[in-house]
Amino acid sequence: MRRVPRNRISWNEGVRNNGRASGLMMKFPHVRVGFIDQFLSSGSNTMIVFAIARVSSVDSFGAISLAMAALMASLAVCRGALGAPISLFSNQPNELRFQTRHSLVAAGALGLLASLIIVPLGLRAGGTPMAVILGVAAPIVLMQDVGRFYVAAASRPWVAVISDGVWALFTLLLLVCTFVGRPAFGALWVIAGWVLAAVVAMILIMSLGGVYPEFSGIRAWLDNSSYHRRRFGLEAGVGASGSFGAIVLAGSGLGSAAIAALRGAGTVLGPIAVLVSATQFSVVPELRRLNLSTEALWNDRKLSRTN
């Protein structure tokens, strides 16, 4: 049996020993804070769905949900292709900042591409002008999420808690307003308020985290660690396309009511998504700080799925 050095930790002995990552890794303060932040981030996404549903008809909610599903799918791809690779550099501060600055640029570009899908889908489904607002929000949401991964990898997850906490609090206020101000407080105001909160959250995480987009050196960034971006991005893209494709097919065959039903069912599964996302967001950077190699991390991820 190979002996593991004291300054290292093996995935088999540390994580799979008790059957899941959260058991051992919750002992680390940064991981605990990361789980709190992921709860706030996912909570904001869940509350906005409930808020929109409160002030929308079934057909209108279905149309908005289609655009929202496209936004969440692009967010999932961004986390895989850009967020997860950032986590792998938590033990290399200079490389971490280099990766993040250019990943922010890539996230903005990916958000612009996503808006080209979000807006036409929403408009076709009858979600005007809410679809346009969500399309504008795509680069903002994706860049804020990349910033979250940076501060978690830089051992400052409390910055993400502040950013996502403000966003979640504002979203909660929007949800409360749908109970107090309905019907005057419509879906357009709900979505516009949520996007405004996203802008504030993005500004907070960049200013407090001290990292901003950088265009110079983008060519070197594209050549550096592209393997992990392709690998993780492809994995996330396959998962996101499956759920998004199901919603699109349901909408084309059964109408907006089916989209609304699927979106509502997906929201119920939110707690599971919190745990999965928090493991990638919080646990992986901690493992890297303990000098677990990238190759061992990837290989053990595959092993953990087969056992």
Side-chain angles (χ1 to χ4, degrees):
M1 179 177 178
R2 184 176 64 87
R3 183 179 180 182
V4 180
R6 294 182 64 182
N7 64 335
R8 297 172 67 89
I9 184 172
S10 72
W11 184 277
N12 292 337
E13 294 182 10
V15 177
R16 288 167 54 202
N17 185 48
N18 64 359
R20 56 186 177 180
S22 59
L24 179 62
M25 291 304 163
M26 283 296 286
K27 296 179 181 179
F28 296 98
H30 291 149
V31 175
R32 290 198 296 269
V33 177
F35 269 79
I36 293 172
D37 175 67
Q38 188 58 50
F39 175 80
L40 292 172
S41 177
S42 298
S44 175
N45 294 337
T46 300
M47 286 189 291
I48 191 60
V49 172
F50 283 119
I52 295 172
R54 282 280 306 164
V55 294
S56 304
S57 64
V58 173
D59 289 339
S60 178
F61 178 64
I64 300 172
S65 294
L66 184 60
M68 184 67 77
L71 177 59
M72 293 299 107
S74 65
L75 180 61
V77 173
C78 180
R79 286 179 176 176
L82 301 174
I86 287 176
S87 299
L88 299 178
F89 295 98
S90 60
N91 58 345
Q92 304 174 47
N94 292 333
E95 186 66 21
L96 174 62
R97 292 182 65 84
F98 172 81
Q99 292 289 331
T100 304
R101 287 170 178 170
H102 296 93
S103 293
L104 286 170
V105 175
L110 181 60
L112 291 175
L113 291 176
S115 67
L116 298 179
I117 300 175
I118 295 170
V119 173
L121 276 177
L123 293 177
R124 184 173 182 180
T128 310
M130 283 79 81
V132 177
I133 298 177
L134 287 175
V136 172
I140 299 169
V141 173
L142 269 57
M143 291 176 71
Q144 192 270 348
D145 202 68
V146 168
R148 291 175 61 244
F149 276 87
Y150 166 73
V151 295
S155 300
R156 288 184 288 170
W158 58 268
V159 174
V161 171
I162 294 175
S163 174
D164 285 319
V166 170
W167 196 354
L169 178 60
F170 200 88
T171 307
L172 177 61
L173 292 176
L174 290 173
L175 179 59
V176 171
C177 288
T178 62
F179 286 90
V180 177
R182 190 183 181 188
F185 202 81
L188 178 61
W189 290 104
V190 171
I191 295 176
W194 185 75
V195 172
L196 177 62
V199 174
V200 174
M202 182 189 69
I203 294 174
L204 281 174
I205 207 159
M206 287 187 183
S207 58
L208 295 179
V211 64
Y212 301 93
E214 181 178 331
F215 290 89
S216 62
I218 195 74
R219 182 65 177 270
W221 173 80
L222 289 173
D223 296 333
N224 187 14
S225 303
S226 60
Y227 168 80
H228 300 296
R229 287 194 292 271
R230 291 195 306 267
R231 193 100 184 223
F232 296 150
L234 178 61
E235 179 182 353
V238 170
S241 61
S243 57
F244 179 65
I247 292 177
V248 172
L249 289 176
S252 61
L254 301 176
S256 298
I259 298 176
L262 285 174
R263 183 60 180 166
T267 303
V268 174
L269 298 176
I272 298 176
V274 171
L275 291 176
V276 173
S277 299
T279 299
Q280 182 187 69
F281 174 72
S282 303
V283 176
V284 172
E286 197 69 28
L287 290 175
R288 294 297 290 157
R289 275 189 287 270
L290 293 169
N291 295 322
L292 180 65
S293 68
T294 303
E295 292 75 14
L297 176 62
W298 175 251
N299 291 334
D300 286 325
R301 281 182 65 202
K302 294 191 292 185
L303 285 173
S304 64
R305 294 178 181 179
T306 60
N307 292 333

